[in-house]
Amino acid sequence: MEVQQIPIGQIKPSPMNPRKTFDEVELQELADSIKHQGLLQPITVRPSEFYDEVIDGEIVSTPTNYEIVCGERRYRALLINAAGDENYPVLSIVRDLTDDEAFDAMVTENLQRIDVDPVEEAFAFEQLQKRGSTIEEIAVRFGKSTRFVVDRIKLDNLIPELLIKVKDGRII
């Protein structure tokens, strides 16, 4: 694990991130806070693309791009502050993680929030189950009942029209 300043243009959101909803007003508020106080907690990234070069007769792979593991909301706020500057520095913790390890970290970070979207939570629980976790393991890990986890996973299988109503808060 290493902490680095990485140009924002080399950082990309992860398509695996179960969180898909970001409130624009809250992002602007976070951007304003970061502008005045700085980034208080680095984002976590993992190398995603490399180029190879020969150094002292050995082939060395150097990262050229990074994928966000934790901190996409902070990243989006920093994008606002960067105002198109691809070299805008982002304090980042760089970790070498497999896809499974990265997904696990993303799910854990997102499900520990207070305002978890039930549809995103359902998707995350179902993905954890597909990756080999049992209902019981998921329940213990996130401090939920097994019934709650089962019900959330069922939610992920609703027809799209109902999912939209749940996401919009019209059905609870």
Side-chain angles (χ1 to χ4, degrees):
M1 180 172 66
E2 181 183 349
V3 178
Q4 299 179 24
Q5 293 279 3
I6 299 174
I8 202 163
Q10 292 180 2
I11 300 171
K12 305 292 180 239
S14 173
M16 293 189 302
N17 189 352
R19 184 173 188 182
K20 305 293 182 203
T21 307
F22 298 89
D23 182 282
E24 294 300 320
V25 172
E26 291 176 4
L27 283 176
Q28 185 61 58
E29 289 171 356
L30 180 57
D32 293 343
S33 174
I34 291 171
K35 193 179 291 185
H36 291 90
Q37 295 190 11
L39 183 63
L40 300 177
Q41 180 180 352
I43 68 170
T44 302
V45 298
R46 68 181 183 146
S48 63
E49 295 175 21
F50 299 85
Y51 73 92
D52 293 335
E53 62 181 323
V54 177
I55 299 176
D56 295 329
E58 292 187 39
I59 297 176
V60 177
S61 290
T62 303
T64 58
N65 284 302
Y66 298 85
E67 176 182 85
I68 299 168
V69 176
C70 300
E72 184 170 344
R73 188 171 168 271
R74 283 170 272 148
Y75 163 79
R76 287 172 179 251
L78 289 165
L79 276 175
I80 293 169
N81 291 342
D85 178 1
E86 293 286 313
N87 292 311
Y88 188 88
V90 177
L91 188 61
S92 306
I93 298 170
V94 179
R95 296 184 60 198
D96 286 318
L97 300 169
T98 65
D99 285 350
D100 285 340
E101 291 168 334
F103 182 76
D104 195 62
M106 288 174 204
V107 167
T108 300
E109 182 193 44
N110 284 311
L111 295 184
Q112 289 176 343
R113 297 186 343 254
I114 293 172
D115 61 341
V116 178
D117 180 296
V119 174
E120 291 174 358
E121 187 174 47
F123 173 78
F125 286 164
E126 185 170 39
Q127 293 305 307
L128 285 171
Q129 188 181 33
K130 285 180 180 177
R131 292 173 182 256
S133 294
T134 66
I135 299 293
E136 292 76 17
E137 290 169 339
I138 296 167
V140 167
R141 182 170 167 197
F142 295 102
K144 308 289 184 186
S145 69
T146 54
R147 175 69 183 192
F148 180 88
V149 173
V150 168
D151 287 346
R152 275 298 194 256
I153 290 173
K154 286 180 185 176
L155 178 63
D156 197 48
N157 295 306
L158 290 177
I159 59 172
E161 292 81 11
L162 286 177
L163 278 175
I164 291 168
K165 289 181 180 184
V166 169
K167 198 164 185 57
D168 291 345
R170 293 183 276 162
I171 297 176
I172 297 176

